[in-house]
Each structure stands twice: as C-alpha cells, then as structure tokens.
Amino acid sequence: MTKILYVEDEPFLGKIVKESLESRGFEVCMVADGREVMAQFRAFEPTICVLDIMLPHRDGYTLAQDIRQVNPTVPIIFLTAKTQTEDVLKGFQNGGNDYIRKPFSMEELIVRIQNILNLTLQKKTTSTREGVVLGTYTFFPHKYELHRAEAIRKLSHRETELLSILAENRNSTVNRRDILKRVWGDDSFFNSRNLDVYITRLRDYFREDTTLEIVTLKGVGYLFKS
C-alpha cells in the first residue's frame, strides 16, 4: 500500500484531503505541526510526502531539506498558496519533486501522486543495485554516485535526476521540455539556463571516455550516445 505523509495545518482542508486519499486506497499519516514531522517521517516510513509550506514552528522548505538528509529519493510534493515564481523555484531547490498551488482539486493531487510514483518505479526497474554501466563508468542513482575505476564522484540530486533520464533513454532523443518538467517542474527560461549548466557538468564528468557523448539537438533536446 502507498503510504503518504501529509503535512497540513488547516484542519478542515486536512480532514477532507486525508479522507479523500484514504478512500482511494492510500494509507495516510497526517501531521499539523512542523516540529513533529521528522519523528513521524522516521516512524511511518512514507512512500511519498505531501507538504504544506506555511506551517507552525518549521516550514515545508526546511522540512524537505531534513527529509532529504534522511532519504534522498523519497518523492516530495509541495502544497501552498504561494504563487510567486521565486517560491516555486525555492521549492524545487529544496528537494521538491512537484508543486501544487492552492486551491487544488483532489483529482489533480491524485494524478500528480500517481505520476511521481510511476516515475519512481520506472527508475527502480531501470537502475539496479549493481549500477548502470555507461561506457567505462558505472552510475549508481540510488547512491548519487558515478564510478570510474577507483574514482568515485558524488552527484547532486539534480545531476542524478538528469543523468537518470539520459541513461534511461540512451541513444534516443529526449525532449528538452520533458526534462525540464520532470527535473525542475516547469520549462521557464530560468530553469532552461540551469539545464544548460547541468548538461555542461555531465559532459565534463564523462570527458575521460570518448565513446560517450551528450549531443545537443537544437530546438529539440538531447541525445546521449553510448
């Protein structure tokens, strides 16, 4: 059963969302106070977290950072009334996988939960514990590491997300907009420039193996040749 840690301090909204999720077969642990979240996270071991941002004592951004320290891969969805672009960006920068603005429909929340869970399952089936072999490198997405011989490079969350997409689609074109939606949540100009920076980093990481190449397909996306 999918276990959802739902953090919301509005009692009326929280009750509706919790009951709606449970009616669809999810197991839900609801927490209203930010300072109680990490204890519940460790005890409940959720499949996915749905976090409000404005909370008593500890905000959702801080909680996401704490959760990432304990579990770097558990999906996190932010729920908030904040609408400014910088607020959205801050959510993704603090480890969020998706962002839903209030008010929202239960149908939208369910779809987003299912989409993230499907992506997570896809990653698990395509990336084994033995790692993904990429030329003379081995990529361990679950450990956020890229190995070559005895050298180990630690990867950031975003680097791991991006390389996972490229590795899953080796020798196939990956649409730039799809990458932006999956890794950053939207295809804004700011995120597009960030993507360019991350692609440059990955190219540099693979520079010692000339059989590997990340090709930019102008106006389309990328092709990871291996």
Side-chain angles (χ1 to χ4, degrees):
M1 178 182 291
T2 298
K3 298 166 68 175
I4 300 175
L5 177 64
Y6 174 43
V7 184
E8 173 61 67
D9 67 328
E10 296 180 33
F12 181 71
L13 174 62
K15 183 174 185 294
I16 292 174
V17 173
K18 182 177 186 293
E19 291 178 353
S20 296
L21 290 171
E22 289 174 338
S23 71
R24 289 165 169 81
F26 297 105
E27 183 179 350
V28 182
C29 174
M30 182 178 161
V31 185
D33 191 321
R35 63 187 168 190
E36 299 174 3
V37 170
M38 292 311 298
Q40 291 295 332
F41 177 82
R42 291 184 172 90
F44 187 58
E45 297 184 344
T47 314
I48 187 169
C49 301
V50 179
L51 309 178
D52 189 21
I53 289 178
M54 303 301 291
L55 295 163
H57 301 109
R58 307 200 75 197
D59 63 60
Y61 299 134
T62 304
L63 290 171
Q65 292 176 354
D66 293 344
I67 287 169
R68 284 279 169 258
Q69 292 296 317
V70 177
N71 187 328
T73 60
V74 65
I76 297 173
I77 298 177
F78 283 118
L79 300 176
T80 184
K82 289 176 172 284
T83 59
Q84 297 299 315
T85 300
E86 54 265 31
D87 295 317
V88 177
L89 294 176
K90 187 175 180 181
F92 289 114
Q93 289 164 357
N94 283 283
N97 298 89
D98 205 350
Y99 195 106
I100 304 179
R101 292 184 176 93
K102 295 179 179 179
F104 58 89
S105 68
M106 281 307 303
E107 289 73 19
E108 179 185 9
L109 178 57
I110 296 295
V111 166
R112 299 222 186 192
I113 288 172
Q114 293 292 3
N115 282 345
I116 289 179
L117 292 176
N118 289 340
L119 288 171
T120 302
L121 177 62
Q122 183 182 21
K123 289 178 189 177
K124 287 181 179 178
T125 57
T126 57
S127 302
T128 67
R129 287 286 167 181
E130 288 70 36
V132 180
V133 176
L134 302 170
T136 57
Y137 295 82
T138 305
F139 173 43
F140 294 89
H142 62 287
K143 295 195 292 186
Y144 287 50
E145 292 179 353
L146 184 65
H147 294 204
R148 186 175 190 268
E150 299 302 314
I152 299 175
R153 181 183 295 277
K154 288 289 186 179
L155 302 176
S156 71
H157 176 70
R158 288 260 160 73
E159 288 170 341
T160 301
E161 289 281 300
L162 178 55
L163 184 52
S164 293
I165 295 171
L166 295 174
E168 289 166 12
N169 296 277
R170 274 174 285 180
N171 301 308
S172 299
T173 301
V174 185
N175 185 274
R176 182 181 179 90
R177 188 169 183 270
D178 290 342
I179 294 174
L180 288 165
K181 287 286 190 179
R182 178 164 161 184
V183 179
W184 279 274
D186 68 67
D187 57 352
S188 69
F189 177 81
F190 177 79
N191 288 335
S192 184
R193 297 286 71 82
N194 273 338
L195 174 57
D196 293 337
V197 171
Y198 279 89
I199 288 291
T200 300
R201 285 184 193 171
L202 291 183
R203 284 178 175 145
D204 183 59
Y205 297 164
F206 289 117
R207 67 184 181 279
E208 295 179 11
D209 188 340
T210 56
T211 67
L212 299 175
E213 184 180 7
I214 302 175
V215 181
T216 298
L217 304 174
K218 193 171 182 180
V220 179
Y222 299 96
L223 173 65
F224 185 28
K225 296 172 67 175
S226 65

